[in-house]
Amino acid sequence: MIILYLVISVILIILLTARYKVHPFLALFMVAIVYGLLAGMSLELIVESINQGFGNTLGSIGLIILFGVIIGAFLENSGAAYVLAEKILKAIGRKRVGPGMGIIGYFISIPVFADSGFILLSPLNKSLTKKAKLSLAGTAVALGLGLTASHTMLPPTPGPIAAAGILNADLGLVMLIGLPVSLLALTAGIIFAVKVAARTKIEPNPGTTDAEIQERVKQAPGALHASFPVLVPIVLIIMKSLTEGLNLLPEGNLYQFILFIGDPVIALMIGVFLAFTLPKNLTPKMLSSSGWMGKAIETSASVIMITGAGGIFGMILQNSGIADVLGELLADVHLGIFLPFLLTAAIKTAQGSSTVALITAASIMMPMMDSLGFETEMQKALVVLAIGAGSAVVSHANDSFFWVVTQLTGMTTKTGYKLYTTGTLILGSTAAIIVFILYQIVA
């Protein structure tokens, strides 16, 4: 019966968030309590699980999510994102607009939400597509897939950070593996965009003129400066993982210092201070409750609360004893690393949000990790990436990003399903296959 209650819980989360538009925090919180009661948990244990799940989850990743969103806000508002985009295009070549926009989207979506990234880069994409005399369909799909790839599979974006935190996976290791996995998957997506999506003719009509874009770039810092808030935290976190994992240094002051600055909270905090250097003139208003800082905190609050609710759901599942039951049931099914992928893909397709799918799937997987044999740090990291791959499959009408891509590009809904939805299927499935191959090697 306990498995039936879990199935009912997942269906309830999907119905509440997708059909009745209930906020994911409330849906996850209410369903967690209902599941606990149905599973026969004592009221005292339910309350204990709520406090423990919420506190433990946000204690490890709440500040990381907040700092990541603040960095993104300063990159976006200072014009630094445009500078980074221009630099990447120069390196790749302006005639390769499709691959260029895919790669730009990939890097921009690390600090900036995918929706904001597409809106931010759409005028630049239209302008470059018009100059190159290409169809907007191909370049827009490439941009959307680039944004989706890092949004779903590469920390420090909020969803993968949340999943890694819930599963207690090494964040640096997730980054190290997530980078090649997501880039290879994106390569498959870009090939689809350039070879298939580009055949559909959509005339680019830039909403922002070249002159307006150039004016924003004038106020922005240089490309190297603009990259510091993103690259420095990533380097510090990876440096900590390598130092710990490979025993590169003897234990001492330097070893402890690297572990300190490489802690994700400290690394992202350093990134925030570097982001403060991006505006030409940092003013108190930018740091006020109504300025860039205040708006970033408001934006992050929703993601943080959903993540906390996911932690509650996961802790209640864990304390209900479902891990042993599911472990025994799935031991003979042999889905292996495809289980988290398929579970997340089902949740994503049903309710639309990649972040909610990542958090919900990680919360369900958390109590089952040992029973299913996902015990080593490498295996945990691959489970996070399998969940990330699933959260890309598929984007369609219940996903707000689907409408951002189609409406800003001038696609009909039918064309959006044909091009962008298919693109996300290719992106996520390719990533899942790569993760499966890696899992066979390490397992």
Side-chain angles (χ1 to χ4, degrees):
M1 287 298 288
I2 199 169
I3 295 172
L4 176 62
Y5 298 148
L6 174 60
V7 173
I8 292 170
S9 298
V10 173
I11 292 171
L12 271 175
I13 291 169
I14 291 167
L15 280 175
L16 288 170
T17 56
R19 183 167 182 179
Y20 297 107
K21 310 300 180 188
V22 175
H23 194 281
F25 168 78
L26 188 59
L28 282 164
F29 187 69
M30 291 192 303
V31 168
I33 294 173
V34 169
Y35 170 83
L37 293 171
L38 289 174
M41 293 172 66
S42 68
L43 297 179
E44 184 182 356
L45 183 56
I46 289 174
V47 172
E48 184 183 321
S49 300
I50 289 170
N51 292 330
Q52 195 177 355
F54 191 81
N56 290 354
T57 303
L58 293 192
S60 62
I61 56 176
L63 284 173
I64 298 172
I65 293 172
L66 172 62
F67 290 156
V69 174
I70 292 171
I71 291 169
F74 274 78
L75 262 174
E76 185 177 342
N77 289 303
S78 68
Y82 277 110
V83 173
L84 288 173
E86 285 281 357
K87 195 71 176 176
I88 293 168
L89 273 178
K90 282 181 182 177
I92 292 171
R94 290 186 177 272
K95 288 296 180 183
R96 301 187 185 96
V97 178
M101 292 312 298
I103 293 169
I104 288 168
Y106 180 86
F107 285 105
I108 293 299
S109 192
I110 295 172
V112 178
F113 280 110
D115 298 55
S116 300
F118 196 92
I119 293 165
L120 176 73
L121 294 171
S122 186
L124 179 66
N125 182 38
K126 288 178 179 178
S127 177
L128 292 170
T129 303
K130 193 174 184 70
K131 283 181 182 177
K133 298 179 180 178
L134 298 171
S135 168
L136 185 60
T139 58
V141 168
L143 173 58
L145 294 179
L147 290 159
T148 301
S150 53
H151 177 70
T152 55
M153 288 178 268
L154 189 67
T157 51
I161 282 178
I166 291 167
L167 297 177
N168 197 28
D170 185 296
L171 199 59
L173 197 55
V174 174
M175 284 181 179
L176 276 174
I177 307 169
L179 188 65
V181 168
S182 54
L183 282 173
L184 285 170
L186 177 59
T187 301
I190 288 174
I191 290 169
F192 167 78
V194 173
K195 300 294 184 183
V196 179
R199 294 176 188 168
T200 301
K201 296 298 178 186
I202 298 177
E203 187 65 29
N205 183 25
T208 305
T209 64
D210 289 344
E212 288 172 325
I213 292 174
Q214 289 305 316
E215 186 59 35
R216 293 181 190 180
V217 171
K218 282 179 186 175
Q219 302 300 317
L224 182 63
H225 185 182
S227 69
F228 284 164
V230 181
L231 292 181
V232 169
I234 291 173
V235 170
L236 292 176
I237 292 169
I238 291 174
M239 194 165 64
K240 180 201 173 191
S241 291
L242 290 175
T243 302
E244 277 186 312
L246 301 178
N247 296 317
L248 296 177
L249 290 171
E251 289 197 24
N253 291 336
L254 180 59
Y255 179 83
Q256 292 300 326
F257 180 70
I258 289 173
L259 295 195
F260 173 73
I261 61 172
D263 181 88
V265 172
I266 303 300
L268 267 292
M269 184 183 71
I270 292 169
V272 168
F273 285 119
L274 289 172
F276 289 164
T277 69
L278 295 178
K280 215 168 189 179
N281 296 301
L282 183 67
T283 63
K285 180 163 177 55
M286 292 176 185
L287 304 177
S288 70
S289 57
S290 60
W292 300 356
M293 174 69 81
K295 288 175 183 174
I297 292 172
E298 288 174 11
T299 301
S300 67
S302 179
V303 178
I304 291 171
M305 295 309 290
I306 294 169
T307 303
I312 292 170
F313 188 36
M315 187 58 67
I316 286 181
L317 285 172
Q318 181 177 333
N319 290 340
S320 73
I322 196 172
D324 295 333
V325 177
L326 275 172
E328 290 173 14
L329 179 71
L330 295 169
D332 299 325
V333 177
H334 303 300
L335 284 174
I337 199 70
F338 278 115
L339 173 62
F341 168 73
L342 293 172
L343 173 66
T344 317
I347 297 170
K348 161 66 179 178
T349 302
Q351 57 79 48
S353 168
S354 292
T355 302
V356 171
L358 274 154
I359 293 167
T360 305
S363 302
I364 293 170
M365 288 297 302
M366 187 259 286
M368 302 188 291
M369 293 291 282
D370 290 343
S371 302
L372 294 172
F374 302 130
E375 297 174 336
T376 68
E377 289 301 328
M378 180 65 77
Q379 287 171 332
K380 288 178 186 177
L382 289 173
V383 169
V384 172
L385 291 173
I387 290 172
S391 72
V393 178
V394 290
S395 175
H396 62 105
N398 63 0
D399 181 3
S400 62
F401 190 53
F402 173 86
W403 295 109
V404 170
V405 172
T406 54
Q407 296 305 301
L408 288 179
T409 308
M411 289 184 193
T412 63
T413 304
K414 182 180 177 182
T415 303
Y417 270 95
K418 180 183 172 185
L419 302 183
Y420 184 66
T421 301
T422 304
T424 58
L425 176 62
I426 291 168
L427 177 76
S429 299
T430 303
I433 292 167
I434 296 167
V435 168
F436 173 76
I437 293 168
L438 289 173
Y439 186 78
Q440 298 311 303
I441 295 168
V442 301

